[in-house]
Amino acid sequence: MSTDSVVKRHRVAVIGSGFGGLFACKHLKNADVDITLISKTSTHLFQPLLYQVATGILSVGEIAPATRMVLRKQKNVQVIMGDVHDIDLENNIVTSRLLNQDHQTPFDSLIVATGAQQSYFGNDHFATYAPGMKTIDDALELRARILGSFEEAELAPTQEMRDRFMTFVVVGAGPTGVELAGQIAELADRTLEGTFRNIDPRDARVILVEGADAVLKPMGPNLGGKAHRRLARMGVEIQLNAMVTDVDARGVTIKDADGTERRIESACKVWSAGVQASALGRQLAERSDGTEVDRAGRVIVEPDLTVKGHPNVFVVGDLMAVPGVPGQAQGAIQGGTYAAKAIKAGLEGETPEQRKPFKYFDKGSMATISRFSAVCQVGKLEFGGFIAWLAWLGLHLWYLVGFRSRFVTVFEWFVSFLGRHRGQMAATEQWVFARLALEAVNAGDVDARDAVRPFDGETSTGNGKSVANEPTTPSSDRRVG
C-alpha cells in the first residue's frame, strides 16, 4: 500500500489544560481522532481551591495533578508542553514555544481554552506587591507572604512596623476575595494562636476592599448580606465603595466614594479584583473574519462557540464571551464538552450549519466564607450557613480529578476544619523572590543577584534593631510586602 493511500485521522489541537481543555479531550476519548493537548503548565489546575493552597489547608498535589497522568490511559491524546504564541488560521497550524524552541502542531479542528489571568486594570506594576490568585505560583507566593508577614512582625522593633506586617489587605469582594479574607482570618485566629512569643496572631487586621457597594454583588443582596455579616463577625473589616488607586511595598492607596484618598499601611496584599482573557483571544479575533473581543479581551463567539469564518475553531472557557455564561468552571466544562460533541458530529457528516447553538445550563454558584459557613445559589433557591458549606464541599470533591486527590483532600479538610492544624504551612523566601527575580532578569533591568536585594531601606533583625540597605530597583522588594 502506498503512503498516499493511507487515510489520516482527524487532527484535533487543544490549547490549555484547564477544565475546558481537559473535558474536551475526555469527551473525544472514543472518537476517531488524534488529539494534541498543548499547555504551558504540566498540570490540570483546580483553580477554585487555590486559596486553600495559599492558606495552608491543601497541598499543590491535591488540586493540580499532572495532566499526563490524568490522560495516560487515553491513547488518542498526546500531551506537549509549550506556550502558544501563534495560531495560523489559514494554514491550520499552532506554534508553541518551549525553552526558546518553537514547535508546530497542524490541526483540522482547534479548541482554544487558555482561560484568563489577573487584571490590574492597566496597573500591571501592582502585581509586584499584590499577587493575584490564578496560578500555583501565585498561591505559593501568597502563602510565603502571609506567613512571612507574621515572622517579620515577631521581630519588628517598633509597633508601627508590627502593625504594618500584621495588616492584610484583600482587594476585591468576589468569591475568591471573600474566601481568602475568611481563611486568613481563621489562620490568624485558630491555627497560629500561641505559636509566637512577641505577637498575638489574633491581633491581625484583615481588610477586604471592594470598589462596588456590596460583597458578592453578582449573587444578590441576600447572599451578599449573609457573607458580609459572617465576615464581620470573624473580625474582617469590609470597606465598600473603595477604589484602589495605588499599591506599593508598604501599603495601598484608597479613594473613597466622596473622592478623598487615604492610605492603608500593609505589608501583605492580594489582588482578586478582576480578570483579563488570554492574549490569544485578541490574536484570534484579528485573524478571523470580523470577530471582536469584549473589554476583558474575551472572544465574542458565534452561537456554536466558533470564530467568524472558521467553523473548525472553537473558543471555550474563560476566553469565550457568551451572554449569561459566567467565568466559572461550569462554563468551561460545558463549553469544552459542546465543542467535542460538535467535532464528533462533524465526523459523522453533520455540517456547521446544522449545529445546534450552545446552551448553558446554570447549575448555580457558591462561595465558602469560613469553616461551616458558605452561601449557595441554585436558580431561585438561595441558602447559606452549614448546609451550603456541605454542598460546597460535595461539589468541589466531585470535580477533583483522581481518587487519591479526593481522599487526601477529605482528610486535610477534616484535620483543618475540626481542629486547628493545617498541614501545608511550609514557605520559603524563593516563593516570594523567584517571580520578581525572573521578571527583572527577563526585562534586562538588573543582574540576577541584584533582583532579590531589599530596596525599602530597612529590615528587622533578631536583636530588635533596624538595618539600613542601599535601595535598588523597585521590582526587587525582598520584604514580604
Side-chain angles (χ1 to χ4, degrees), residues 207 267 279 379:
I207 304 173

Side-chain angles (χ1 to χ4, degrees), residues 35 102 141 272 293 298 300 340 355 412 419:
I35 308 166
D102 283 351
E141 179 180 350
S272 62
V293 296
R298 298 178 301 175
I300 301 175
R355 291 175 187 163
E412 294 289 356

Side-chain angles (χ1 to χ4, degrees), residues 126 169 171 209 239 242-256 259-266 269 271:
F126 288 1
V169 176
V171 183
V209 178
Q239 301 184 4
M243 301 293 294
V244 174
T245 59
D246 194 22
V247 181
D248 56 38
R250 294 174 176 270
V252 299
T253 302
I254 306 291
K255 178 184 282 188
D256 290 316
T260 60
E261 287 196 341
R262 55 189 170 86
R263 283 277 296 176
I264 300 177
E265 297 297 319
S266 168
K269 290 81 63 178
W271 190 275

Side-chain angles (χ1 to χ4, degrees), residues 218-230:
M219 297 184 73
N222 180 30
L223 295 183
K226 289 180 183 290
H228 190 138
R229 291 188 293 272
R230 174 57 183 163

